[in-house]
């Protein structure tokens, strides 16, 4: 990207959304929620910007909301340093920045921090970071001596840079929300995936958690699908190295669906699938929110006995993964509508929890 600009353009709004009458709070009376704006494109106090991590997702979110990406310029100096400039007025504006911290994680994280700083110095009214994939989330505690809690560090960096609010999707550990001293909205891709699998109508379905840590996520999915739950007991021997021990639950003659949040090297996923098939499963599908797919992941999935791997567009697929998508081995579902609806709710101060239903 050296020397190249990433210019995102938005037409100047011409009219502001009608004012909302504020009622005084009275005992026993609940203040009604503000109604959603019919045309957010006319709201001068609402804008969406995006970094370079997943511009396609940002554009899809803007299509859902009914606006275009804010106008900005992103360049790099010869040594790789990031240069970012806002090309329109944001004074007093409710601004949302769409930027997953995916590969290369450090580059996209610093890019996000610089964007926040630029907005803060331009006197934005409120800055909400929309991070569909939260990098460094897997280091959320001291599970070994002398290790960092990097997910807390990233939280501090975002708030220190000037973020006033954060929107995440499928955090690796829900307690990461507690690392922030600003409001956090934590959304899940499960509504999108549940709709897909309901249409697929897999026979004799059993939902499977690939480890004990993901049981809550898999149990929620199993409840929505009205399917039984199984758990695969695994032991991690090193970073990105796991050894599957045994299957807890009856999967004999069943179609299994493995539910996880991240597919990184796909080692856990493939070993889990093989363990289920060895235990008598007929077919194995997999679903995960974030297709990190690093290292040997593509080769492992391609040569595995998995029927299909379903992911979301929280992270753009790499070129190698796009080949598997064309072959039907990987299926990408969009979460742009879900994130767009959440952004609308945050801006209009309506209930976000209602979106879970």
């Amino acid at each position: 990207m050296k020397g190249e600009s990433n210019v995102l353009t938005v037409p100047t709004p011409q009219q502001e959304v009608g004012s909302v009458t504020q009622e005084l709070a009275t005992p026993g009376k609940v203040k009604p929620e503000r109604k959603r704006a019919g045309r957010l494109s006319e709201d001068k106090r609402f804008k969406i910007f995006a970094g370079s991590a997943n511009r396609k997702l940002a554009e899809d979110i803007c299509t859902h909301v009914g606006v275009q990406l804010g106008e900005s310029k992103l360049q790099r100096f010869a040594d790789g340093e990031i240069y970012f400039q806002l090309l329109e007025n944001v004074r007093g504006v409710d601004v949302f920045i769409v930027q997953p911290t995916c590969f290369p994680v450090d580059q996209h994280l610093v890019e996000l921090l610089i964007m926040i700083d630029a907005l803060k110095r331009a006197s934005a009214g409120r800055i909400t970071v929309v991070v569909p994939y939260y990098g460094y989330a897997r280091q959320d505690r001291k599970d070994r001596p002398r290790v960092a809690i990097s997910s807390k560090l990233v939280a501090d960096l975002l708030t220190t840079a000037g973020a006033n609010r954060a929107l995440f999707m499928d955090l690796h550990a829900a307690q990461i929300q507690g690392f922030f001293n600003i409001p956090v909205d934590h959304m899940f891709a499960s509504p999108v995936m549940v709709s897909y699998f309901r249409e697929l109508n897999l026979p004799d379905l059993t939902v499977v958690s690939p480890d004990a840590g993901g049981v809550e996520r898999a149990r929620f999915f199993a409840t929505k699908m009205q399917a039984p739950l199984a758990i695969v007991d695994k032991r991690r021997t090193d970073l990105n190295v796991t050894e599957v021990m045994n299957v807890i639950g009856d999967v004999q003659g069943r179609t299994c669906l493995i539910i996880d949040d991240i597919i990184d090297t796909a080692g856990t996923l493939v070993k889990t699938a093989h363990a289920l098939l060895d235990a008598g499963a007929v077919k194995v599908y997999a679903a995960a929110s974030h297709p990190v797919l690093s290292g040997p992941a593509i080769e492992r999935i391609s040569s595995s006995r998995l029927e299909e791997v379903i992911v979301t567009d929280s992270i753009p697929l790499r070129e190698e993964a796009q080949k598997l998508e064309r072959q039907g081995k990987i299926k990408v579902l969009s979460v742009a509508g879900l994130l767009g609806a959440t952004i609308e709710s945050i801006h209009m101060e309506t209930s976000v929890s209602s979106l879970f239903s």
Side-chain angles (χ1 to χ4, degrees), residues 241-258:
V241 179
T242 59
E243 178 183 353
V244 172
M245 302 301 292
N246 53 67
V247 177
I248 303 172
D250 183 18
V251 297
Q252 180 71 38
R254 309 284 296 182
T255 300
C256 292
L257 171 58
I258 304 170

Side-chain angles (χ1 to χ4, degrees), residues 43-61:
D43 191 345
K44 295 179 181 179
R45 299 292 179 178
F46 172 75
K47 292 182 180 180
I48 298 177
F49 290 87
S52 64
N54 195 347
R55 180 176 175 179
K56 176 64 166 58
L57 175 60
E59 290 173 343
D60 291 344
I61 291 173

Side-chain angles (χ1 to χ4, degrees), residues 13-20 34-46 347-348:
Q14 300 299 325
Q15 183 178 349
E16 190 172 1
V17 170
S19 61
V20 178
R34 295 171 62 189
K35 294 182 180 180
R36 288 174 181 258
R39 298 168 66 181
L40 283 179
S41 60
E42 297 180 352
D43 191 345
K44 295 179 181 179
R45 299 292 179 178
F46 172 75
H347 174 65
M348 298 307 299

Side-chain angles (χ1 to χ4, degrees), residues 1-7 52 72-78 81-84 111:
M1 291 182 61
K2 292 181 180 179
E4 296 182 2
S5 63
N6 181 16
V7 180
S52 64
S72 63
K73 180 166 65 174
L74 175 66
Q75 294 178 319
R76 292 191 178 275
F77 293 100
E81 288 185 8
I82 298 166
Y83 173 85
F84 178 78
E111 188 178 302

